[in-house]
Amino acid sequence: MGKQFGKNRGLKRAKAPLKSESKHVIKNRRVEEKLARTRTRTRSPSPSSSGEPLEEQSSGVASDEEVIHREASMYDNLLMTLRSCSKTVDDAYKKRQRQEEGKSDSEEDEDDGSESFSVSVKDDNEDESTLQEPDLVDAGEQSEDIETEDDHEASDTDQEHDVRVNGQNLAEGSACLSSFSIHLGHELSEEEVENLSTKKWLYKWEVPVAGMSNCKWMGTGECFLKDVNINSGYDLKPKLHKHWLDVYKTSGGNDFHSSKERLFFSLCNSYRDILHCNKKPFYLKGLEEDSSIMDAYIVHSLNHVFRTRDLVTKNDAKLAKHPEIADNDSLAVNFLDHGYTRPKVLILLPLKCIALRVVQRLIQLTPSAYKVNVDHIDRFLKEFGNQEDEDSEDELSQHTHGNSKAKKSSKPSDFLELFGGKRDEEDQFMFGIKFTRRSIKLYSDFYSSDVIVASPVRLIAKIWEAKRFQEKDVDYLSSIEVLIIDHADVIAMQNWSHVNTVVEQLNQRPSKQDRTDITRIRKLYSDEYARLYRQTIILGSYSNPDINALFNRHCINYQGKVKLVCEYKGVLPKVILQVRQIYERFDVDSIADADDARFDYFVKKVFPKIKDSVQGGIMLFISSYFEYVRIRNFLKSQDASFCLLGEYTQQSDISRARVWFFEGRRKIMLYTERAHFYYRYKIRGIQNLIVYSLPERKEFYPEIVNMLDGSHNLSCTVLFSRFDQFRLERIVGTAPAKRMATSEKGVFVFC
């Protein structure tokens, strides 16, 4: 790869202008001379800069001049494809053209050299252009990455997009094709579309996960994980690949090919839908694993955005030079590269602190040439906080106040890492990110953004506004091609139904057409098949029926699916007290009847035991808010002595309830999982623990059971059914959970 770039720099060697050159060619030659002098001061000359004839850097440029004189034949299109994929064929063709036109090699080289500097294309009504003449600055201020490689990358690596015959890529399957172009270039037949709507996905292959002996990847279709070529650049834009390697090595990495970052990127680059729900999050001592996966999907997003931009820029330049192509239907089909709107990547995150990590890392992983300026970074850090500043404040606080027990927080470390003491407005954010040739623009208008980062809570508010007010719309969601849902487990603690609503809103036909160039719309959008091309990546620390339902029903990417399947050891060893844990199974025939069956079992089997008990200190732990409301109403109807501690309980009522329960003035306390997630209270005075429904988050189970410290009767009762398999296996282990769900016995005891 280094040789390739070295050769390209050598090709930019300046030559003395000929008398026959036009004024604009001479002007551009002077620009090249200045750039060459700048390079000479910053690095030694490239071995290839020895006066060799210059070569065309973009596919089909020479042939475009020929195309405008006659309608393209099948032979012409095939020739263009061969030229884009083979340098030898391209050189031979150009040599023959020079001979026929009576041109010398030097004349042809000079024409080629001027072309890359003579085109300027506006980018969405912005002052910046995505393909413009390089700024001439001092050598000390201008890195060599910025000088000439921007123009080369668009032409060198995107040749595969040029030629299509009868709607199909002639070069499909060739080594020059990227996953990006193969994915979006495939045209679905009506039969394929019909099958995808009703298809039951079969997972045909399994691959062990490196470093996770209890997990394996399962996928549909053909297995692709073993076919990655180390020398292929992993299908990344060259500059992005080089920068990622540099960042990886700087952080202390050695073997990039075997790294978690590279392995997960290969999954992302397959453009299959991905479900990874055993990711150890950064706030639970999983910083390395969480960061590796985050790096992979960020680089995948950048690669998708840059390839989209380069393809559009390249086609804009060709159409500007040869406007006649737009009138030729057989050629115009080669330039269908737009969606309805510009945003192509949507990243859903639950909290601002997580958005801060993602955006800061996105900026770090963007090559230097594309981030000379980062607009509105001060505003972003002010609104989202700066992790380095917070760390400094913590160190100063410790230095000033010491490590006294009075100053030490009673909250768990993962809670402090995730919330940092702030909860208000933490889930209210949404902003766009736009990439120009040399800068990153935060808070860009949604319609001119490449990436949208949002919380489901904020985005759902935008969707509701659009439905309520006619002048509002969310058409910027119409052309999302990569959807990433990170920390899905935290989002589930907010409201997972918001995610379902957002996904249903994606890839809808826009309500307004004034933002769309209909002559450049990809066929997949006009046919309303965009949802079948959208890649969805769901990441979290656990899975549940809601997450699985979204993945199975709303993720219908034609490429197929990949999911992680794991066996769990359970968290019972983390219960430090000698608590007698009694698991009681209730029978139910269908998942639709599970809630009613659980409630009936509690009313008939459990409540009679506690109703007449004179002993107080009974805590009912409930996972679902709907179950919480149902039990609350039942206790009211029974005139039971109880208090409430839910996620919507006012702070003053919470303090009062905790005092009443501890003092025995209320016999029963209802405590929800979401309340524990957001507050992490340590409830005192518990004598009898009843787990009405197991928590989704496995780490909560030992925390709740260990609250029995000080109880005279160290025992708890857990209700479950065979439909609680996911939760049960995370807590007691996969093997015990299977036995408990199928055994003839209905009661199981753990001590």
Side-chain angles (χ1 to χ4, degrees):
M1 185 171 294
K3 294 181 180 180
Q4 180 182 353
F5 279 103
K7 185 174 181 179
N8 287 341
R9 296 186 188 108
L11 292 174
K12 285 293 183 179
R13 182 181 180 187
K15 292 184 179 182
L18 300 179
K19 294 181 179 180
S20 60
E21 287 180 321
S22 62
K23 292 181 179 180
H24 79 275
V25 174
I26 296 174
K27 178 181 177 181
N28 290 328
R29 183 61 57 216
R30 290 171 180 168
V31 172
E32 288 185 277
E33 290 173 355
K34 292 181 180 180
L35 291 174
R37 288 196 295 271
T38 302
R39 287 195 298 273
T40 302
R41 290 194 296 268
T42 58
R43 65 175 185 267
S44 59
S46 172
S48 61
S49 58
S50 57
E52 296 177 359
L54 290 175
E55 300 167 344
E56 288 184 0
Q57 298 302 313
S58 62
S59 63
V61 173
S63 60
D64 283 346
E65 298 177 359
E66 187 176 357
V67 164
I68 64 174
H69 296 295
R70 69 176 189 274
E71 186 173 353
S73 64
M74 183 70 75
Y75 169 78
D76 296 325
N77 290 327
L78 180 59
L79 182 59
M80 290 172 66
T81 303
L82 293 174
R83 290 182 61 199
S84 68
C85 297
S86 173
K87 180 177 180 299
T88 304
V89 175
D90 189 47
D91 291 344
Y93 178 82
K94 288 186 288 186
K95 183 176 181 180
R96 179 179 177 183
Q97 288 296 103
R98 289 194 294 268
Q99 292 174 349
E100 291 178 355
E101 297 174 7
K103 260 188 174 181
S104 67
D105 287 352
S106 60
E107 289 174 332
E108 184 70 19
D109 293 340
E110 287 156 4
D111 289 345
D112 292 343
S114 66
E115 182 160 359
S116 63
F117 293 95
S118 61
V119 181
S120 179
V121 182
K122 292 294 181 183
D123 180 15
D124 278 354
N125 300 322
E126 293 285 339
D127 294 335
E128 301 88 349
S129 62
T130 56
L131 184 63
Q132 59 186 357
E133 184 171 307
D135 298 329
L136 298 178
V137 297
D138 293 337
E141 299 176 359
Q142 183 174 16
S143 67
E144 63 178 311
D145 284 339
I146 301 178
E147 291 173 340
T148 60
E149 290 174 12
D150 290 327
D151 298 325
H152 287 303
E153 257 193 320
S155 57
D156 289 348
T157 62
D158 290 322
Q159 296 174 356
E160 64 270 12
H161 305 296
D162 284 345
V163 183
R164 298 170 67 89
V165 175
N166 295 328
Q168 297 292 329
N169 280 320
L170 286 178
E172 189 168 353
S174 172
C176 68
L177 286 174
S178 67
S179 296
F180 168 87
S181 59
I182 292 174
H183 176 61
L184 295 179
H186 177 72
E187 291 189 9
L188 294 173
S189 65
E190 293 183 2
E191 182 179 358
E192 287 178 300
V193 172
E194 185 177 354
N195 290 338
L196 284 171
S197 302
T198 59
K199 186 173 183 178
K200 292 184 178 180
W201 299 95
L202 298 177
Y203 292 87
K204 300 180 179 179
W205 53 267
E206 300 177 359
V207 173
V209 181
M212 300 174 68
S213 59
N214 61 324
C215 297
K216 60 184 176 182
W217 288 109
M218 297 178 62
T220 64
E222 299 296 328
C223 182
F224 58 91
L225 290 178
K226 300 179 181 179
D227 300 329
V228 179
N229 184 359
I230 300 179
N231 300 318
S232 65
Y234 306 108
D235 204 22
L236 282 164
K237 298 286 292 180
K239 195 178 297 183
L240 181 60
H241 178 222
K242 179 179 181 300
H243 181 71
W244 194 15
L245 284 177
D246 292 342
V247 171
Y248 177 76
K249 293 176 181 178
T250 302
S251 63
N254 295 319
D255 185 3
F256 180 76
H257 182 72
S258 300
S259 66
K260 293 181 179 179
E261 293 94 321
R262 203 285 303 168
L263 293 172
F264 192 73
F265 172 78
S266 295
L267 286 173
C268 296
N269 194 52
S270 70
Y271 280 95
R272 288 165 170 80
D273 292 330
I274 301 172
L275 177 62
H276 184 334
C277 282
N278 193 31
K279 183 184 70 164
K280 194 171 185 179
F282 69 93
Y283 53 86
L284 284 174
K285 300 179 180 179
L287 180 60
E288 180 181 356
E289 179 180 346
D290 200 345
S291 299
S292 298
I293 293 174
M294 180 177 65
D295 283 4
Y297 76 66
I298 287 176
V299 170
H300 174 59
S301 300
L302 291 173
N303 195 51
H304 188 87
V305 167
F306 293 158
R307 286 194 180 278
T308 300
R309 181 190 65 181
D310 289 346
L311 174 61
V312 172
T313 299
K314 181 181 176 182
N315 287 341
D316 284 347
K318 288 184 178 181
L319 290 173
K321 184 174 182 180
H322 303 299
E324 299 87 346
I325 295 177
D327 299 326
N328 190 324
D329 293 340
S330 62
L331 294 178
V333 71
N334 300 332
F335 297 87
L336 302 183
D337 52 15
H338 282 33
Y340 288 119
T341 52
R342 176 165 174 164
K344 293 295 181 288
V345 178
L346 173 63
I347 303 178
L348 294 180
L349 304 169
L351 300 171
K352 284 186 176 179
C353 64
I354 297 175
L356 173 66
R357 294 183 71 251
V358 170
V359 174
Q360 286 185 325
R361 193 58 175 169
L362 181 145
I363 294 173
Q364 291 173 358
L365 290 173
T366 301
S368 302
Y370 301 150
K371 58 179 180 183
V372 175
N373 296 311
V374 181
D375 296 351
H376 307 298
I377 185 63
D378 293 337
R379 173 187 170 187
F380 175 76
L381 295 178
K382 181 179 179 181
E383 293 184 9
F384 286 77
N386 189 328
Q387 191 63 43
E388 294 178 358
D389 293 342
E390 292 178 5
D391 293 342
S392 299
E393 290 177 5
D394 292 342
E395 293 176 3
L396 179 61
S397 177
Q398 291 180 4
H399 178 73
T400 304
H401 301 288
N403 294 321
S404 64
K405 293 183 179 180
K407 295 296 180 181
K408 186 177 180 180
S409 174
S410 61
K411 305 294 185 183
S413 59
D414 61 289
F415 175 85
L416 297 175
E417 185 77 17
L418 185 59
F419 290 105
K422 300 178 293 184
R423 285 186 296 273
D424 296 337
E425 304 297 325
E426 272 292 291
D427 56 0
Q428 296 287 341
F429 62 91
M430 180 175 177
F431 56 93
I433 303 176
K434 177 180 179 179
F435 294 88
T436 64
R437 185 185 174 191
R438 295 175 182 272
S439 66
I440 301 174
K441 294 181 176 293
L442 303 179
Y443 298 99
S444 56
D445 178 75
F446 293 134
Y447 290 97
S448 63
S449 300
D450 298 297
V451 178
I452 295 176
V453 179
S455 67
V457 176
R458 183 58 180 155
L459 186 51
I460 204 71
K462 291 285 187 181
I463 293 174
W464 287 343
E465 284 181 12
K467 293 181 178 179
R468 184 177 179 183
F469 302 104
Q470 187 175 1
E471 66 275 11
K472 301 281 187 178
D473 65 74
V474 288
D475 291 347
Y476 44 78
L477 300 177
S478 62
S479 302
I480 297 297
E481 294 171 353
V482 177
L483 168 65
I484 299 169
I485 306 172
D486 198 3
H487 295 276
D489 54 295
V490 180
I491 297 176
M493 289 289 104
Q494 297 170 333
N495 193 335
W496 187 259
S497 64
H498 290 343
V499 179
N500 292 330
T501 303
V502 168
V503 173
E504 290 171 359
Q505 187 66 41
L506 298 179
N507 306 121
Q508 300 290 331
R509 187 180 291 273
S511 59
K512 302 174 184 177
Q513 301 292 334
D514 56 334
R515 306 182 185 93
T516 304
D517 181 1
I518 59 174
T519 63
R520 300 276 292 276
I521 294 293
R522 287 184 183 273
K523 194 172 184 294
L524 66 93
Y525 288 101
S526 58
D527 290 342
E528 298 189 8
Y529 294 160
R531 61 191 176 90
L532 305 179
Y533 288 79
R534 185 190 69 240
Q535 180 188 30
T536 304
I537 302 173
I538 304 176
L539 308 168
S541 64
Y542 66 80
S543 183
N544 63 21
D546 291 332
I547 294 175
N548 283 338
L550 176 71
F551 187 69
N552 294 332
R553 298 173 187 174
H554 295 286
C555 301
I556 50 177
N557 181 353
Y558 81 89
Q559 291 278 12
K561 299 174 184 284
V562 179
K563 68 178 180 180
L564 189 70
V565 178
C566 298
E567 293 186 353
Y568 298 89
K569 297 179 180 179
V571 294
L572 294 183
K574 295 184 178 180
V575 178
I576 59 177
L577 303 176
Q578 294 298 317
V579 179
R580 190 167 182 263
Q581 305 164 59
I582 305 171
Y583 283 72
E584 299 182 11
R585 189 186 70 206
F586 59 91
D587 295 326
V588 58
D589 295 329
S590 67
I591 192 172
D593 299 327
D595 289 341
D596 291 337
R598 188 188 306 272
F599 179 73
D600 290 341
Y601 188 88
F602 173 79
V603 170
K604 296 176 181 178
K605 301 290 186 179
V606 179
F607 183 70
K609 298 177 183 178
I610 64 176
K611 180 180 180 181
D612 300 328
S613 174
V614 295
Q615 183 185 25
I618 302 169
M619 188 172 85
L620 279 172
F621 181 85
I622 303 173
S623 177
S624 165
Y625 180 75
F626 299 105
E627 295 172 338
Y628 166 81
V629 172
R630 191 173 192 177
I631 295 296
R632 181 198 65 187
N633 294 340
F634 171 74
L635 294 178
K636 281 184 178 180
S637 69
Q638 300 297 314
D639 293 326
S641 172
F642 69 97
C643 57
L644 304 173
L645 207 167
E647 56 264 39
Y648 299 115
T649 308
Q650 296 294 325
Q651 188 63 47
S652 59
D653 294 334
I654 291 176
S655 300
R656 188 182 305 112
R658 295 178 66 187
V659 172
W660 285 349
F661 184 73
F662 176 67
E663 294 178 350
R665 297 161 63 182
R666 294 290 187 272
K667 290 176 57 177
I668 303 173
M669 170 180 278
L670 270 60
Y671 189 38
T672 66
E673 181 177 7
R674 288 179 65 189
H676 189 67
F677 175 77
Y678 283 108
Y679 298 105
R680 293 295 185 89
Y681 290 125
K682 183 174 176 59
I683 308 300
R684 297 182 300 162
I686 302 175
Q687 299 298 325
N688 186 8
L689 173 63
I690 299 174
V691 179
Y692 181 85
S693 50
L694 286 165
E696 293 275 16
R697 305 183 73 84
K698 62 182 181 181
E699 64 270 17
F700 285 0
Y701 181 81
E703 288 184 14
I704 297 298
V705 176
N706 286 330
M707 288 183 189
L708 283 168
D709 188 16
S711 171
H712 302 297
N713 181 21
L714 292 177
S715 68
C716 75
T717 302
V718 180
L719 308 184
F720 76 98
S721 74
R722 63 188 180 93
F723 294 107
D724 294 324
Q725 182 72 26
F726 287 121
R727 305 184 191 197
L728 191 63
E729 68 174 353
R730 290 195 291 269
I731 293 172
V732 303
T734 299
K738 291 179 179 179
R739 292 195 301 267
M740 294 167 66
T742 58
S743 174
E744 294 182 358
K745 297 190 301 181
V747 179
F748 307 87
V749 180
F750 296 90
C751 295

